[in-house]
Amino acid sequence: MKLKLENKIVKKIILSGFVFSLFSILYSIVAPLIFEGYPVFPGELGIDFSAIYGPQPLSFSKYNLAMPLYTLFYILTLFFIITRKFSHLEIRALNLTLKISFIIIIITSLSQILAYYWGIFDITKIFYTTVTREFEYSFIGDFLPIPRVQATYYEPSMLAPFVTGVMSFYLHKAINYGKLSNYLFLFISIILIVLSTSTTAYVSALLMFSMVILFNLPMRLRSGNVLISKIKVVKYAIGITLIFLFFLFIIIFTIGLENFLNIVDIYLINKSESMSFTNRTIADMHAIKLFIDTYGLGVGLGSNRPSSLLPYLLSQVGFIGTIMFFLFIYNIIKFSYNTLKNSNYFEYFFLLPSVLISQLVAYPDITNPTLWQFIYIVLIASLISYRGKGIANK
């Protein structure tokens, strides 16, 4: 154990994770009793229902136990992962698990479209194991009447963190290493993002695309001078041009450029005019009001569900719990960046920012499995890199 937790930041990750988890458990029991009767948007009713019909009086519920306990389970799993030994050979297994997950997303997404057109069995139902909610399709629109891609998730916006993370992962690999398989998975992820018609996915993908490009600029600062690699500039220019042209080619010969522009117009540019945007804004504003009305303390994890991560945390675990959670995340990002930036595994670093940006846009739950899947993958890659290179504490 001493060897495995030798890095100071790794110790901080474990400590901050356990502190947040224990705080959320204790406070989620106490807060509903203190603020009983306060108007909340219960998670089981859904954001749209609560935004239209109004909030419900707060009372202690099973969710006040379930949500914090889920978080504790995730932290315990994290602790198990950190205390294990990993070798460089296991990076292949790590890459394979991400690839298999993505292949399942591809197969189920394609199956949803084919099942609608041809009436064949939708294999999504094999992977969709949630018994509390029936799997339902939503459609893009009259101009392109096909199901919105959502794979094995509740709804298309919940697919956003995973597919945006995959896009960022393969974008970095395509720019730096080329290879047909990297470009193939990159283009598939972009098409899935387009067909999800999720504003969350669009905004997250644009931000992460920009972030990956920024981190891969063919120039470096050294002693106040800007060093530019001509070879990297050419390689970079060719890579970005190929990505753009191939994306345009796929769009034109699949859904058509006009349909693509209609999708962008409805689900991105004019999204603020939709009922969905209105309801989510109402939910987030109500969460901020709860935060203020409870003097910055919140009503306990599992009591209120707005549309995005920050109002979710502020309205439930308050200012203190929010700081604890983001300190936990900051420690992971700091450790992964320091260990991966000069390694051959830097593409893993982008997974965590991808899911965080998606959740800050419009996916509130800290029990989101994709969030923890990416945390685990990023940490395993970081630990392999750290123990392989012997990086000093930073």
Side-chain angles (χ1 to χ4, degrees):
M1 185 71 68
K2 183 178 179 181
L3 174 64
K4 295 172 183 176
L5 294 182
E6 61 189 0
N7 186 279
K8 291 179 181 178
I9 301 181
V10 173
K11 293 177 183 178
K12 287 180 180 179
I13 291 171
I14 289 294
L15 180 61
S16 57
F18 271 117
V19 168
F20 171 75
S21 180
L22 294 176
F23 170 81
S24 64
I25 290 173
L26 294 174
Y27 189 63
S28 296
I29 295 172
V30 175
L33 303 177
I34 298 174
F35 299 108
E36 186 175 5
Y38 273 57
V40 296
F41 282 19
E44 66 269 24
L45 294 181
I47 292 172
D48 293 322
F49 181 93
S50 295
I52 295 171
Y53 296 103
Q56 305 295 315
L58 173 63
S59 61
F60 185 83
S61 72
K62 60 185 178 182
Y63 295 99
N64 294 117
L65 288 177
M67 296 300 179
L69 288 176
Y70 265 121
T71 305
L72 178 61
F73 170 76
Y74 283 129
I75 295 296
L76 289 172
T77 305
L78 179 70
F79 180 74
F80 171 76
I81 288 172
I82 285 179
T83 54
R84 279 202 64 223
K85 282 186 176 180
F86 296 97
S87 69
H88 280 271
L89 294 176
E90 290 175 286
I91 203 74
R92 294 181 181 178
L94 195 64
N95 188 43
L96 183 61
T97 59
L98 184 63
K99 192 172 291 186
I100 290 173
S101 297
F102 187 44
I103 289 172
I104 291 173
I105 295 299
I106 295 170
I107 292 172
T108 51
S109 298
L110 184 62
S111 174
Q112 289 160 20
I113 296 173
L114 295 179
Y116 171 72
Y117 275 109
W118 294 348
I120 62 176
F121 175 72
D122 181 7
I123 63 170
T124 303
K125 295 174 182 178
I126 297 174
F127 297 97
Y128 191 85
T129 57
T130 303
V131 297
T132 57
R133 179 173 173 177
E134 184 179 354
F135 183 85
E136 296 178 353
Y137 298 119
S138 56
F139 295 87
I140 291 177
D142 294 335
F143 62 91
L144 190 63
I146 63 174
R148 298 173 63 192
V149 166
Q150 62 192 78
T152 57
Y153 292 82
Y154 275 161
E155 56 188 55
S157 62
M158 292 184 175
L159 172 64
F162 181 85
V163 73
T164 303
V166 170
M167 181 209 73
S168 306
F169 181 87
Y170 283 107
L171 176 60
H172 177 85
K173 292 191 74 171
I175 290 173
N176 287 275
Y177 311 120
K179 292 186 66 175
L180 181 61
S181 60
N182 292 329
Y183 281 105
L184 178 63
F185 281 119
L186 170 62
F187 292 128
I188 292 174
S189 66
I190 293 174
I191 292 299
L192 292 181
I193 288 170
V194 171
L195 294 181
S196 72
T197 61
S198 164
T199 307
T200 305
Y202 292 172
V203 174
S204 304
L206 286 171
L207 291 173
M208 284 308 304
F209 193 93
S210 302
M211 181 178 176
V212 175
I213 295 299
L214 184 64
F215 272 86
N216 283 281
L217 288 176
M219 59 184 67
R220 292 289 183 270
L221 283 174
R222 183 177 299 173
S223 303
N225 297 317
V226 178
L227 303 178
I228 299 176
S229 169
K230 293 181 180 180
I231 296 176
K232 287 186 177 181
V233 167
V234 173
K235 182 179 177 182
Y236 189 84
I238 292 173
I240 297 299
T241 302
L242 285 175
I243 290 171
F244 174 76
L245 291 176
F246 198 67
F247 169 72
L248 197 61
F249 175 83
I250 292 174
I251 289 296
I252 292 172
F253 288 95
T254 53
I255 64 174
L257 185 59
E258 185 178 353
N259 285 332
F260 172 70
L261 294 176
N262 283 333
I263 289 172
V264 172
D265 180 61
I266 293 171
Y267 292 98
L268 184 60
I269 297 173
N270 291 311
K271 176 66 176 181
S272 59
E273 298 176 7
S274 69
M275 182 61 71
S276 171
F277 180 85
T278 301
N279 290 342
R280 276 147 184 74
T281 302
I282 291 171
D284 283 344
M285 294 304 295
H286 182 76
I288 298 300
K289 185 177 183 299
L290 264 181
F291 172 70
I292 295 170
D293 290 346
T294 57
Y295 311 101
L297 297 175
V299 290
L301 198 58
S303 297
N304 185 64
R305 189 176 186 273
S307 175
S308 51
L309 180 61
L310 189 57
Y312 176 91
L313 288 167
L314 290 172
S315 66
Q316 295 186 102
V317 293
F319 179 77
I320 296 173
T322 302
I323 293 298
M324 288 180 179
F325 177 78
F326 281 112
L327 180 62
F328 167 65
I329 295 297
Y330 168 76
N331 286 328
I332 297 174
I333 291 176
K334 182 179 180 180
F335 177 66
S336 62
Y337 177 75
N338 286 341
T339 54
L340 296 174
K341 64 180 178 180
N342 295 318
S343 73
N344 293 325
Y345 313 136
F346 193 54
E347 57 269 17
Y348 289 97
F349 169 77
F350 297 104
L351 294 176
L352 188 50
S354 296
V355 69
L356 286 173
I357 288 174
S358 296
Q359 295 207 220
L360 286 167
V361 173
Y363 190 169
D365 309 293
I366 60 170
T367 53
N368 170 20
T370 302
L371 170 65
W372 294 94
Q373 178 190 14
F374 283 178
I375 285 175
Y376 299 154
I377 290 174
V378 169
L379 273 177
I380 291 172
S382 300
L383 289 168
I384 291 172
S385 179
Y386 170 76
R387 289 164 185 163
K389 295 188 296 185
I391 296 174
N393 295 330
K394 294 185 180 180

